[in-house]
Amino acid sequence: KSEGKSVILLAVSSGQSETFTVVGIFAASDVLRPEAKGVVSALQAQGLGTWMISGDNEVTARAVARSVNIPEPNVIAGVLPHQKAERVAWLQQVGQKRQVGGRANTWVRKLLEGLRVKVDPLNKRAIVAMVGDGINDAPALARADVGIAIGSGSDVAISSASFILVHSDLKSILTLTDLSRKVFRRVKFNFVSYISFLTEILRTHFSPCSFGLLSTTSSPFPSPLVLFIPHITRACLQSGPRLPWR
């Protein structure tokens, strides 16, 4: 068990009594994917917490975790399928929260506050991604914020996941995280570009007047339409996708 193996006992009986005699002890284990250790290390280098949820006994689970550099305190062992989903919900509340920082994020947050848009950051709780391939993983995959199923896994697990690794290569997880970051960067860039364009229009064609209204002396737009621009912008932001700086 300390080597990450499960112990199997072989016992026989003469048939004349209910007493069995152990005649053999075997040790068996699943072969770890060769890329598992490197993928875990890469995720940790990105600042992501890595956890292991397993139905195996604690000794075996901790041994497997050590082999892929998952911290032993981050091992949850001996759980049933529905308990895996409960542990995922628990991690969402107490797990490592996403750190939102940087000058760009601070500028965007101040801009949103200036527009009186409610800022509801995602780092109020941890965002949990679950990777699994078995029927036992299906409830946890459905409960996680991002469910990732191995393509060679069970149909139940695949149907419960948000993403499917078609090639069953764990390195695809790194591609997925990199792609998601690029997409969110593009969304932020487009948002800032739109706000900058709108600000330039307001600065060029409008001048402030009393009570926060805008005069339209040199504006090519009708006055009522101009007054509704901030409200339209706010409505679009509130009805749009949930972004890290919202």
PDB file of all heavy atoms in Angstrom, residues 24-58:
ATOM      1  N   GLY A  24      -2.205 -17.020  -0.769  1.00  0.00           N
ATOM      2  CA  GLY A  24      -1.437 -16.109  -1.615  1.00  0.00           C
ATOM      3  C   GLY A  24      -1.801 -14.655  -1.362  1.00  0.00           C
ATOM      4  O   GLY A  24      -2.932 -14.339  -0.994  1.00  0.00           O
ATOM      5  N   ILE A  25      -0.818 -13.796  -1.499  1.00  0.00           N
ATOM      6  CA  ILE A  25      -1.014 -12.350  -1.362  1.00  0.00           C
ATOM      7  C   ILE A  25      -0.422 -11.680  -2.595  1.00  0.00           C
ATOM      8  O   ILE A  25       0.738 -11.917  -2.943  1.00  0.00           O
ATOM      9  CB  ILE A  25      -0.341 -11.800  -0.087  1.00  0.00           C
ATOM     10  CG1 ILE A  25      -0.899 -12.491   1.162  1.00  0.00           C
ATOM     11  CG2 ILE A  25      -0.553 -10.291   0.007  1.00  0.00           C
ATOM     12  CD1 ILE A  25      -0.232 -12.034   2.450  1.00  0.00           C
ATOM     13  N   PHE A  26      -1.247 -10.881  -3.248  1.00  0.00           N
ATOM     14  CA  PHE A  26      -0.811 -10.204  -4.462  1.00  0.00           C
ATOM     15  C   PHE A  26      -0.915  -8.693  -4.271  1.00  0.00           C
ATOM     16  O   PHE A  26      -1.684  -8.214  -3.435  1.00  0.00           O
ATOM     17  CB  PHE A  26      -1.671 -10.622  -5.663  1.00  0.00           C
ATOM     18  CG  PHE A  26      -1.714 -12.106  -5.897  1.00  0.00           C
ATOM     19  CD1 PHE A  26      -2.690 -12.884  -5.295  1.00  0.00           C
ATOM     20  CD2 PHE A  26      -0.783 -12.719  -6.714  1.00  0.00           C
ATOM     21  CE1 PHE A  26      -2.738 -14.255  -5.509  1.00  0.00           C
ATOM     22  CE2 PHE A  26      -0.822 -14.085  -6.929  1.00  0.00           C
ATOM     23  CZ  PHE A  26      -1.807 -14.859  -6.325  1.00  0.00           C
ATOM     24  N   ALA A  27      -0.144  -7.983  -5.057  1.00  0.00           N
ATOM     25  CA  ALA A  27      -0.209  -6.514  -5.067  1.00  0.00           C
ATOM     26  C   ALA A  27      -0.398  -6.062  -6.505  1.00  0.00           C
ATOM     27  O   ALA A  27       0.329  -6.512  -7.404  1.00  0.00           O
ATOM     28  CB  ALA A  27       1.055  -5.906  -4.480  1.00  0.00           C
ATOM     29  N   ALA A  28      -1.381  -5.222  -6.733  1.00  0.00           N
ATOM     30  CA  ALA A  28      -1.676  -4.725  -8.084  1.00  0.00           C
ATOM     31  C   ALA A  28      -1.861  -3.216  -8.046  1.00  0.00           C
ATOM     32  O   ALA A  28      -2.273  -2.648  -7.026  1.00  0.00           O
ATOM     33  CB  ALA A  28      -2.932  -5.391  -8.638  1.00  0.00           C
ATOM     34  N   SER A  29      -1.563  -2.591  -9.141  1.00  0.00           N
ATOM     35  CA  SER A  29      -1.719  -1.133  -9.214  1.00  0.00           C
ATOM     36  C   SER A  29      -1.967  -0.717 -10.651  1.00  0.00           C
ATOM     37  O   SER A  29      -1.552  -1.408 -11.592  1.00  0.00           O
ATOM     38  CB  SER A  29      -0.474  -0.410  -8.681  1.00  0.00           C
ATOM     39  OG  SER A  29       0.649  -0.701  -9.502  1.00  0.00           O
ATOM     40  N   ASP A  30      -2.661   0.403 -10.802  1.00  0.00           N
ATOM     41  CA  ASP A  30      -2.848   0.984 -12.133  1.00  0.00           C
ATOM     42  C   ASP A  30      -1.574   1.711 -12.539  1.00  0.00           C
ATOM     43  O   ASP A  30      -0.889   2.319 -11.711  1.00  0.00           O
ATOM     44  CB  ASP A  30      -4.020   1.969 -12.124  1.00  0.00           C
ATOM     45  CG  ASP A  30      -5.348   1.275 -11.859  1.00  0.00           C
ATOM     46  OD1 ASP A  30      -5.482   0.107 -12.275  1.00  0.00           O
ATOM     47  OD2 ASP A  30      -6.219   1.881 -11.227  1.00  0.00           O
ATOM     48  N   VAL A  31      -1.263   1.629 -13.803  1.00  0.00           N
ATOM     49  CA  VAL A  31      -0.059   2.295 -14.311  1.00  0.00           C
ATOM     50  C   VAL A  31      -0.344   3.788 -14.458  1.00  0.00           C
ATOM     51  O   VAL A  31      -1.337   4.187 -15.083  1.00  0.00           O
ATOM     52  CB  VAL A  31       0.367   1.701 -15.669  1.00  0.00           C
ATOM     53  CG1 VAL A  31       1.602   2.428 -16.198  1.00  0.00           C
ATOM     54  CG2 VAL A  31       0.633   0.214 -15.535  1.00  0.00           C
ATOM     55  N   LEU A  32       0.500   4.598 -13.857  1.00  0.00           N
ATOM     56  CA  LEU A  32       0.348   6.043 -13.979  1.00  0.00           C
ATOM     57  C   LEU A  32       0.655   6.490 -15.405  1.00  0.00           C
ATOM     58  O   LEU A  32       1.543   5.944 -16.071  1.00  0.00           O
ATOM     59  CB  LEU A  32       1.282   6.764 -13.008  1.00  0.00           C
ATOM     60  CG  LEU A  32       0.964   6.652 -11.514  1.00  0.00           C
ATOM     61  CD1 LEU A  32       2.055   7.332 -10.706  1.00  0.00           C
ATOM     62  CD2 LEU A  32      -0.387   7.267 -11.203  1.00  0.00           C
ATOM     63  N   ARG A  33      -0.106   7.488 -15.849  1.00  0.00           N
ATOM     64  CA  ARG A  33       0.192   8.048 -17.160  1.00  0.00           C
ATOM     65  C   ARG A  33       1.561   8.721 -17.115  1.00  0.00           C
ATOM     66  O   ARG A  33       1.864   9.460 -16.180  1.00  0.00           O
ATOM     67  CB  ARG A  33      -0.882   9.054 -17.555  1.00  0.00           C
ATOM     68  CG  ARG A  33      -2.266   8.435 -17.734  1.00  0.00           C
ATOM     69  CD  ARG A  33      -3.304   9.500 -18.027  1.00  0.00           C
ATOM     70  NE  ARG A  33      -4.621   8.921 -18.169  1.00  0.00           N
ATOM     71  CZ  ARG A  33      -5.141   8.493 -19.322  1.00  0.00           C
ATOM     72  NH1 ARG A  33      -4.427   8.615 -20.428  1.00  0.00           N
ATOM     73  NH2 ARG A  33      -6.345   7.974 -19.368  1.00  0.00           N
ATOM     74  N   PRO A  34       2.387   8.486 -18.113  1.00  0.00           N
ATOM     75  CA  PRO A  34       3.757   9.024 -18.071  1.00  0.00           C
ATOM     76  C   PRO A  34       3.812  10.541 -17.996  1.00  0.00           C
ATOM     77  O   PRO A  34       4.772  11.102 -17.464  1.00  0.00           O
ATOM     78  CB  PRO A  34       4.382   8.496 -19.382  1.00  0.00           C
ATOM     79  CG  PRO A  34       3.221   8.147 -20.253  1.00  0.00           C
ATOM     80  CD  PRO A  34       2.136   7.712 -19.345  1.00  0.00           C
ATOM     81  N   GLU A  35       2.787  11.221 -18.516  1.00  0.00           N
ATOM     82  CA  GLU A  35       2.813  12.683 -18.519  1.00  0.00           C
ATOM     83  C   GLU A  35       2.189  13.287 -17.270  1.00  0.00           C
ATOM     84  O   GLU A  35       2.188  14.513 -17.109  1.00  0.00           O
ATOM     85  CB  GLU A  35       2.083  13.223 -19.754  1.00  0.00           C
ATOM     86  CG  GLU A  35       0.568  13.091 -19.719  1.00  0.00           C
ATOM     87  CD  GLU A  35       0.047  11.742 -20.183  1.00  0.00           C
ATOM     88  OE1 GLU A  35       0.872  10.813 -20.310  1.00  0.00           O
ATOM     89  OE2 GLU A  35      -1.171  11.616 -20.414  1.00  0.00           O
ATOM     90  N   ALA A  36       1.658  12.446 -16.364  1.00  0.00           N
ATOM     91  CA  ALA A  36       0.913  12.955 -15.213  1.00  0.00           C
ATOM     92  C   ALA A  36       1.767  13.854 -14.320  1.00  0.00           C
ATOM     93  O   ALA A  36       1.341  14.950 -13.941  1.00  0.00           O
ATOM     94  CB  ALA A  36       0.348  11.794 -14.411  1.00  0.00           C
ATOM     95  N   LYS A  37       2.957  13.423 -13.995  1.00  0.00           N
ATOM     96  CA  LYS A  37       3.810  14.189 -13.084  1.00  0.00           C
ATOM     97  C   LYS A  37       4.164  15.547 -13.673  1.00  0.00           C
ATOM     98  O   LYS A  37       4.128  16.580 -12.983  1.00  0.00           O
ATOM     99  CB  LYS A  37       5.069  13.399 -12.765  1.00  0.00           C
ATOM    100  CG  LYS A  37       5.979  14.056 -11.733  1.00  0.00           C
ATOM    101  CD  LYS A  37       7.157  13.159 -11.370  1.00  0.00           C
ATOM    102  CE  LYS A  37       8.032  13.808 -10.307  1.00  0.00           C
ATOM    103  NZ  LYS A  37       9.166  12.911  -9.930  1.00  0.00           N
ATOM    104  N   GLY A  38       4.506  15.579 -14.961  1.00  0.00           N
ATOM    105  CA  GLY A  38       4.860  16.836 -15.600  1.00  0.00           C
ATOM    106  C   GLY A  38       3.686  17.791 -15.679  1.00  0.00           C
ATOM    107  O   GLY A  38       3.847  19.003 -15.500  1.00  0.00           O
ATOM    108  N   VAL A  39       2.479  17.263 -15.933  1.00  0.00           N
ATOM    109  CA  VAL A  39       1.295  18.118 -16.023  1.00  0.00           C
ATOM    110  C   VAL A  39       0.971  18.721 -14.668  1.00  0.00           C
ATOM    111  O   VAL A  39       0.662  19.913 -14.555  1.00  0.00           O
ATOM    112  CB  VAL A  39       0.094  17.310 -16.563  1.00  0.00           C
ATOM    113  CG1 VAL A  39      -1.188  18.113 -16.439  1.00  0.00           C
ATOM    114  CG2 VAL A  39       0.331  16.923 -18.013  1.00  0.00           C
ATOM    115  N   VAL A  40       1.061  17.912 -13.607  1.00  0.00           N
ATOM    116  CA  VAL A  40       0.794  18.419 -12.258  1.00  0.00           C
ATOM    117  C   VAL A  40       1.792  19.518 -11.900  1.00  0.00           C
ATOM    118  O   VAL A  40       1.417  20.569 -11.356  1.00  0.00           O
ATOM    119  CB  VAL A  40       0.843  17.275 -11.233  1.00  0.00           C
ATOM    120  CG1 VAL A  40       0.812  17.824  -9.806  1.00  0.00           C
ATOM    121  CG2 VAL A  40      -0.317  16.310 -11.448  1.00  0.00           C
ATOM    122  N   SER A  41       3.055  19.305 -12.204  1.00  0.00           N
ATOM    123  CA  SER A  41       4.084  20.317 -11.906  1.00  0.00           C
ATOM    124  C   SER A  41       3.828  21.602 -12.689  1.00  0.00           C
ATOM    125  O   SER A  41       3.999  22.708 -12.164  1.00  0.00           O
ATOM    126  CB  SER A  41       5.473  19.769 -12.230  1.00  0.00           C
ATOM    127  OG  SER A  41       5.767  18.628 -11.444  1.00  0.00           O
ATOM    128  N   ALA A  42       3.392  21.477 -13.948  1.00  0.00           N
ATOM    129  CA  ALA A  42       3.118  22.657 -14.764  1.00  0.00           C
ATOM    130  C   ALA A  42       1.921  23.437 -14.217  1.00  0.00           C
ATOM    131  O   ALA A  42       1.937  24.669 -14.191  1.00  0.00           O
ATOM    132  CB  ALA A  42       2.861  22.239 -16.209  1.00  0.00           C
ATOM    133  N   LEU A  43       0.897  22.734 -13.766  1.00  0.00           N
ATOM    134  CA  LEU A  43      -0.264  23.408 -13.180  1.00  0.00           C
ATOM    135  C   LEU A  43       0.118  24.136 -11.895  1.00  0.00           C
ATOM    136  O   LEU A  43      -0.331  25.259 -11.643  1.00  0.00           O
ATOM    137  CB  LEU A  43      -1.372  22.396 -12.904  1.00  0.00           C
ATOM    138  CG  LEU A  43      -2.034  21.759 -14.134  1.00  0.00           C
ATOM    139  CD1 LEU A  43      -3.011  20.676 -13.711  1.00  0.00           C
ATOM    140  CD2 LEU A  43      -2.752  22.810 -14.971  1.00  0.00           C
ATOM    141  N   GLN A  44       0.956  23.493 -11.094  1.00  0.00           N
ATOM    142  CA  GLN A  44       1.402  24.140  -9.861  1.00  0.00           C
ATOM    143  C   GLN A  44       2.256  25.359 -10.163  1.00  0.00           C
ATOM    144  O   GLN A  44       2.188  26.359  -9.447  1.00  0.00           O
ATOM    145  CB  GLN A  44       2.188  23.121  -9.020  1.00  0.00           C
ATOM    146  CG  GLN A  44       1.329  21.992  -8.470  1.00  0.00           C
ATOM    147  CD  GLN A  44       2.144  20.901  -7.810  1.00  0.00           C
ATOM    148  OE1 GLN A  44       3.358  20.807  -7.997  1.00  0.00           O
ATOM    149  NE2 GLN A  44       1.489  20.052  -7.038  1.00  0.00           N
ATOM    150  N   ALA A  45       3.050  25.306 -11.238  1.00  0.00           N
ATOM    151  CA  ALA A  45       3.868  26.452 -11.626  1.00  0.00           C
ATOM    152  C   ALA A  45       3.008  27.632 -12.066  1.00  0.00           C
ATOM    153  O   ALA A  45       3.432  28.787 -11.984  1.00  0.00           O
ATOM    154  CB  ALA A  45       4.831  26.055 -12.749  1.00  0.00           C
ATOM    155  N   GLN A  46       1.785  27.355 -12.529  1.00  0.00           N
ATOM    156  CA  GLN A  46       0.851  28.405 -12.913  1.00  0.00           C
ATOM    157  C   GLN A  46       0.097  28.987 -11.721  1.00  0.00           C
ATOM    158  O   GLN A  46      -0.743  29.859 -11.880  1.00  0.00           O
ATOM    159  CB  GLN A  46      -0.159  27.860 -13.936  1.00  0.00           C
ATOM    160  CG  GLN A  46       0.452  27.459 -15.254  1.00  0.00           C
ATOM    161  CD  GLN A  46      -0.568  26.861 -16.212  1.00  0.00           C
ATOM    162  OE1 GLN A  46      -1.776  26.874 -15.953  1.00  0.00           O
ATOM    163  NE2 GLN A  46      -0.097  26.329 -17.332  1.00  0.00           N
ATOM    164  N   GLY A  47       0.400  28.472 -10.527  1.00  0.00           N
ATOM    165  CA  GLY A  47      -0.265  28.963  -9.330  1.00  0.00           C
ATOM    166  C   GLY A  47      -1.582  28.275  -9.033  1.00  0.00           C
ATOM    167  O   GLY A  47      -2.361  28.773  -8.216  1.00  0.00           O
ATOM    168  N   LEU A  48      -1.835  27.143  -9.664  1.00  0.00           N
ATOM    169  CA  LEU A  48      -3.078  26.407  -9.449  1.00  0.00           C
ATOM    170  C   LEU A  48      -2.867  25.316  -8.398  1.00  0.00           C
ATOM    171  O   LEU A  48      -1.868  24.599  -8.431  1.00  0.00           O
ATOM    172  CB  LEU A  48      -3.557  25.768 -10.765  1.00  0.00           C
ATOM    173  CG  LEU A  48      -3.807  26.739 -11.923  1.00  0.00           C
ATOM    174  CD1 LEU A  48      -4.204  25.974 -13.178  1.00  0.00           C
ATOM    175  CD2 LEU A  48      -4.898  27.739 -11.555  1.00  0.00           C
ATOM    176  N   GLY A  49      -3.798  25.209  -7.481  1.00  0.00           N
ATOM    177  CA  GLY A  49      -3.722  24.156  -6.479  1.00  0.00           C
ATOM    178  C   GLY A  49      -4.140  22.822  -7.082  1.00  0.00           C
ATOM    179  O   GLY A  49      -5.087  22.744  -7.866  1.00  0.00           O
ATOM    180  N   THR A  50      -3.438  21.763  -6.755  1.00  0.00           N
ATOM    181  CA  THR A  50      -3.736  20.431  -7.278  1.00  0.00           C
ATOM    182  C   THR A  50      -4.163  19.519  -6.132  1.00  0.00           C
ATOM    183  O   THR A  50      -3.486  19.444  -5.108  1.00  0.00           O
ATOM    184  CB  THR A  50      -2.516  19.830  -7.999  1.00  0.00           C
ATOM    185  OG1 THR A  50      -1.374  19.851  -7.114  1.00  0.00           O
ATOM    186  CG2 THR A  50      -2.183  20.626  -9.251  1.00  0.00           C
ATOM    187  N   TRP A  51      -5.288  18.833  -6.334  1.00  0.00           N
ATOM    188  CA  TRP A  51      -5.841  17.930  -5.334  1.00  0.00           C
ATOM    189  C   TRP A  51      -6.108  16.574  -5.967  1.00  0.00           C
ATOM    190  O   TRP A  51      -6.227  16.460  -7.191  1.00  0.00           O
ATOM    191  CB  TRP A  51      -7.153  18.488  -4.765  1.00  0.00           C
ATOM    192  CG  TRP A  51      -6.966  19.654  -3.841  1.00  0.00           C
ATOM    193  CD1 TRP A  51      -6.570  20.913  -4.200  1.00  0.00           C
ATOM    194  CD2 TRP A  51      -7.168  19.684  -2.430  1.00  0.00           C
ATOM    195  NE1 TRP A  51      -6.503  21.723  -3.098  1.00  0.00           N
ATOM    196  CE2 TRP A  51      -6.880  20.998  -1.998  1.00  0.00           C
ATOM    197  CE3 TRP A  51      -7.584  18.734  -1.496  1.00  0.00           C
ATOM    198  CZ2 TRP A  51      -6.985  21.382  -0.667  1.00  0.00           C
ATOM    199  CZ3 TRP A  51      -7.690  19.113  -0.174  1.00  0.00           C
ATOM    200  CH2 TRP A  51      -7.390  20.418   0.238  1.00  0.00           C
ATOM    201  N   MET A  52      -6.208  15.567  -5.121  1.00  0.00           N
ATOM    202  CA  MET A  52      -6.516  14.219  -5.589  1.00  0.00           C
ATOM    203  C   MET A  52      -7.686  13.679  -4.773  1.00  0.00           C
ATOM    204  O   MET A  52      -7.667  13.692  -3.545  1.00  0.00           O
ATOM    205  CB  MET A  52      -5.291  13.301  -5.406  1.00  0.00           C
ATOM    206  CG  MET A  52      -5.549  11.857  -5.778  1.00  0.00           C
ATOM    207  SD  MET A  52      -4.040  10.864  -5.575  1.00  0.00           S
ATOM    208  CE  MET A  52      -4.685   9.226  -5.902  1.00  0.00           C
ATOM    209  N   ILE A  53      -8.749  13.239  -5.474  1.00  0.00           N
ATOM    210  CA  ILE A  53      -9.913  12.631  -4.838  1.00  0.00           C
ATOM    211  C   ILE A  53     -10.004  11.195  -5.324  1.00  0.00           C
ATOM    212  O   ILE A  53     -10.093  10.951  -6.532  1.00  0.00           O
ATOM    213  CB  ILE A  53     -11.206  13.399  -5.167  1.00  0.00           C
ATOM    214  CG1 ILE A  53     -11.084  14.858  -4.732  1.00  0.00           C
ATOM    215  CG2 ILE A  53     -12.396  12.759  -4.488  1.00  0.00           C
ATOM    216  CD1 ILE A  53     -12.315  15.693  -5.022  1.00  0.00           C
ATOM    217  N   SER A  54      -9.988  10.255  -4.405  1.00  0.00           N
ATOM    218  CA  SER A  54      -9.939   8.844  -4.783  1.00  0.00           C
ATOM    219  C   SER A  54     -10.800   7.997  -3.853  1.00  0.00           C
ATOM    220  O   SER A  54     -10.987   8.328  -2.682  1.00  0.00           O
ATOM    221  CB  SER A  54      -8.489   8.341  -4.747  1.00  0.00           C
ATOM    222  OG  SER A  54      -8.426   6.951  -4.970  1.00  0.00           O
ATOM    223  N   GLY A  55     -11.306   6.908  -4.403  1.00  0.00           N
ATOM    224  CA  GLY A  55     -12.038   5.946  -3.596  1.00  0.00           C
ATOM    225  C   GLY A  55     -11.138   4.923  -2.942  1.00  0.00           C
ATOM    226  O   GLY A  55     -11.597   4.114  -2.124  1.00  0.00           O
ATOM    227  N   ASP A  56      -9.841   4.940  -3.276  1.00  0.00           N
ATOM    228  CA  ASP A  56      -8.883   4.013  -2.663  1.00  0.00           C
ATOM    229  C   ASP A  56      -8.642   4.377  -1.206  1.00  0.00           C
ATOM    230  O   ASP A  56      -8.993   5.472  -0.749  1.00  0.00           O
ATOM    231  CB  ASP A  56      -7.556   4.033  -3.426  1.00  0.00           C
ATOM    232  CG  ASP A  56      -7.674   3.393  -4.805  1.00  0.00           C
ATOM    233  OD1 ASP A  56      -8.548   2.529  -4.969  1.00  0.00           O
ATOM    234  OD2 ASP A  56      -6.913   3.800  -5.707  1.00  0.00           O
ATOM    235  N   ASN A  57      -8.012   3.451  -0.488  1.00  0.00           N
ATOM    236  CA  ASN A  57      -7.697   3.729   0.912  1.00  0.00           C
ATOM    237  C   ASN A  57      -6.640   4.824   0.995  1.00  0.00           C
ATOM    238  O   ASN A  57      -5.915   5.106   0.029  1.00  0.00           O
ATOM    239  CB  ASN A  57      -7.219   2.455   1.622  1.00  0.00           C
ATOM    240  CG  ASN A  57      -5.896   1.950   1.071  1.00  0.00           C
ATOM    241  OD1 ASN A  57      -4.839   2.437   1.416  1.00  0.00           O
ATOM    242  ND2 ASN A  57      -5.969   0.962   0.176  1.00  0.00           N
ATOM    243  N   GLU A  58      -6.533   5.422   2.143  1.00  0.00           N
ATOM    244  CA  GLU A  58      -5.701   6.604   2.305  1.00  0.00           C
ATOM    245  C   GLU A  58      -4.222   6.329   2.078  1.00  0.00           C
ATOM    246  O   GLU A  58      -3.512   7.143   1.481  1.00  0.00           O
ATOM    247  CB  GLU A  58      -5.914   7.198   3.698  1.00  0.00           C
ATOM    248  CG  GLU A  58      -5.231   8.541   3.901  1.00  0.00           C
ATOM    249  CD  GLU A  58      -5.626   9.212   5.204  1.00  0.00           C
ATOM    250  OE1 GLU A  58      -6.579   8.720   5.857  1.00  0.00           O
ATOM    251  OE2 GLU A  58      -4.990  10.216   5.556  1.00  0.00           O
TER     252      GLU A  58
END
